[in-house]
Amino acid sequence: MNEQQAREVKDLSPGRHRAGNDFTELSRIVTSSGLMRRRYGYYWTKLIGAVLVLGVAIAVFIMIGDTWWQLFTAAALAVVFTQIAMLGHDAAHRQIFVSGKWNDWTSLVLGNLLVGMSYGWWQHKHTRHHANPNKIGTDPDIELPVIAFTPEQVEQRSRRHGAAVKWLMAHQGLFFFPILLLEGLSLHASGVRRVFSPEPLRRRWIEAAFLLLRIGAYLALVFVVLSPGIAAVFLAVQLGIFGVYMGLSFAPNHKGMPLVPADLKLDFLRRQVLMSRNIRGSRMLDVAMGGLNYQIEHHLFPSMPRPHLRKASLTIRQYCLDHGVRYTETGLWESYGIVTRYINRVGLGERDPFECPLLQQRAAV
């Protein structure tokens, strides 16, 4: 056990009396630095710009008419919808306005009405993820129907579905990114199912009305402007790129980081930092990933406005270093390699792939 690992084991020990105070101290530092203050100029520019860009894209779509050149418009719309969805993510986390009601309605308009994703469905799922990232049996982001993240999931699905599914899971590392082509369709379908399910949902009829209006009007526009064949390919391209873009933005953040058992107790700071991964890069990457590349900062301070995340990362990285908490940061392509290798090893049946040394050593203490 090296010195760093020994510190990590000590950090995880239930008797560590300072653990509960570490985040309080960090929160005081971050708040006093002004990093939690709202950035209304930034976000109003984003909100107005999003509506204008979407309007221009639709106008261009109508002007171009029935031609295969519209596939480029489909790709552009996929990027625009993803950026709007990321802005909706900011609103859902209370990053834009002080008022919860203003944030809620912004999320409903951006998510349901402009993108066609249910805010209520996303909020229910995402809140559980933030509370327990990478915790087995609790985090919905590691309970996906098409990808196994634990050996237990591989065994269960192999017994249930037979040799064909077992073979697919053994090669799931190869299929992970191609599967993202279906993620856009899945996001829309999941939202619609949630809205029309008997499960509790605030503002159900508003969500339903916004979703039906958006999806119905969008499909009508596409099939009025384009012939059926071109329209079908247009939708496939737009939804495919939208799903890939969303997946490439969210996949690097936690997948391939340690999975922890449901009964493991961690203080808030370590629960969020040790299970999250940052992606280093330029400000262009910040824009492309909607700030999700600062996953550690986002999980520690979900309501921190996006433009403050880069500066906050400097403070939080140093704080973690000073307190012996491992702060993980990689390049973008390196992160995709980690994700692919991780899920491939799980699919091949290796027990505890990429096992976290600190958890192994804690069990032996």
Side-chain angles (χ1 to χ4, degrees), residues 37 52 58 71 89 108 118 150 159 170-171 205 216 224 247 287:
R37 64 181 175 83
L52 290 176
I58 293 173
L71 298 188
H89 171 266
L108 286 166
S118 166
T150 68
R159 287 198 302 268
H171 299 82
W205 297 112
V224 166
V287 174

Side-chain angles (χ1 to χ4, degrees), residues 95-322:
Q95 295 177 22
I96 299 181
F97 302 106
V98 172
S99 167
K101 184 177 292 186
W102 276 65
N103 283 304
D104 283 341
W105 278 98
T106 301
S107 297
L108 286 166
V109 171
L110 294 175
N112 292 58
L113 189 59
L114 298 187
V115 179
M117 287 174 52
S118 166
Y119 165 53
W121 164 78
W122 177 89
Q123 186 183 46
H124 176 71
K125 176 178 179 291
H126 201 62
T127 299
R128 289 183 291 142
H129 161 69
H130 265 262
N132 292 285
N134 277 21
K135 179 173 279 193
I136 297 170
T138 306
D139 183 358
D141 284 5
I142 57 172
E143 298 288 339
L144 303 181
V146 293
I147 297 292
F149 288 99
T150 68
E152 289 74 23
Q153 290 176 349
V154 173
E155 292 174 5
Q156 291 170 4
R157 294 174 191 181
S158 296
R159 287 198 302 268
R160 188 183 310 137
H161 300 292
V165 170
K166 185 176 182 179
W167 183 89
L168 287 172
M169 286 189 295
H171 299 82
Q172 65 179 359
L174 298 175
F175 296 136
F176 178 70
F177 291 105
I179 285 173
L180 293 178
L181 289 167
L182 300 175
E183 180 67 9
L185 184 61
S186 175
L187 289 171
H188 291 298
S190 296
V192 171
R193 280 198 303 270
R194 172 73 180 183
V195 166
F196 292 102
S197 75
E199 300 176 41
L201 182 68
R202 292 181 62 199
R203 304 186 181 93
R204 179 184 303 277
W205 297 112
I206 294 172
E207 287 220 27
F210 279 3
L211 277 182
L212 291 174
L213 178 60
R214 191 280 185 188
I215 294 172
Y218 183 64
L219 289 176
L221 178 65
V222 170
F223 280 96
V224 166
V225 173
L226 304 178
S227 56
I230 297 178
V233 177
F234 175 93
L235 290 172
V237 170
Q238 186 265 298
L239 288 169
I241 295 177
F242 173 67
V244 169
Y245 189 179
M246 290 284 281
L248 292 180
S249 299
F250 282 90
N253 303 329
H254 300 280
K255 293 171 177 58
M257 295 299 288
L259 301 183
V260 296
D263 60 349
L264 181 68
K265 303 299 182 183
L266 289 174
D267 66 282
F268 183 78
L269 177 71
R270 286 157 184 81
R271 184 166 74 245
Q272 302 301 339
V273 176
L274 296 176
M275 313 310 159
S276 303
R277 179 194 299 113
N278 275 15
I279 308 300
R280 57 175 169 263
S282 67
R283 292 187 183 276
M284 288 186 64
L285 184 67
D286 295 355
V287 174
M289 295 190 70
L292 296 172
N293 45 322
Y294 299 106
Q295 194 68 191
I296 293 173
E297 289 69 32
H298 174 59
H299 264 252
L300 288 172
F301 301 96
S303 61
M304 179 182 289
R306 189 195 306 182
H308 290 160
L309 292 171
R310 175 177 280 266
K311 183 177 180 181
S313 68
L314 303 176
T315 299
I316 293 171
R317 183 191 298 112
Q318 187 60 50
Y319 186 88
C320 289
L321 179 63
D322 293 342

